[in-house]
Amino acid sequence: MKLSLISEFLFKKMIPIKTGLYPEVNLNPSKNDSTEERKYKVLLNIEYSFCLKIMPSIIQKASKLYEKQIKTKKVIKFCCDFKLLEKECANYKS
């Protein structure tokens, strides 16, 4: 079976999120799910498995982009300002 790329990592759009401000998602299909929900959960599981396989590469690429921006203090085109987002995240009160 040939798999094609169906998603993309947008490293330039990384944002910090405080622990506890997002819900856990159950990716296990259940009998109460609609057909569409089951199909979507299967797709999410495939993508999640793929991410686990390439996790070191994901971390390396994200870290490289982040460290470059922090070191140069320049926000490249279409990229989030990571330091500003970290500051705002630290100040956020839920």
Side-chain angles (χ1 to χ4, degrees):
M1 176 203 296
K2 183 179 178 187
L3 295 177
S4 45
L5 186 61
I6 54 177
S7 61
E8 182 177 347
F9 288 100
L10 298 174
F11 293 108
K12 293 179 180 182
K13 305 297 181 195
M14 296 184 293
I15 59 169
I17 301 175
K18 285 186 176 181
T19 301
L21 294 180
Y22 49 88
E24 261 189 46
V25 177
N26 182 355
L27 299 181
N28 299 317
S30 81
K31 61 183 178 184
N32 297 327
D33 292 340
S34 67
T35 302
E36 292 80 23
E37 288 172 318
R38 279 193 297 277
K39 286 179 182 179
Y40 190 61
K41 286 182 177 182
V42 167
L43 173 63
L44 289 175
N45 274 298
I46 291 168
E47 291 190 355
Y48 180 64
S49 295
F50 174 73
C51 290
L52 291 176
K53 289 178 188 173
I54 63 165
M55 187 64 67
S57 175
I58 294 169
I59 292 170
Q60 188 255 344
K61 288 177 183 179
S63 297
K64 184 178 177 182
L65 176 64
Y66 175 84
E67 289 167 11
K68 182 178 179 182
Q69 187 181 112
I70 298 305
K71 182 179 175 183
T72 64
K73 296 184 170 117
K74 291 183 181 178
V75 179
I76 62 174
K77 190 174 184 177
F78 305 116
C79 196
C80 292
D81 184 336
F82 302 135
K83 270 297 184 198
L84 176 62
L85 288 171
E86 288 173 344
K87 179 183 170 190
E88 293 302 320
C89 183
N91 292 331
Y92 180 78
K93 293 176 181 36
S94 57

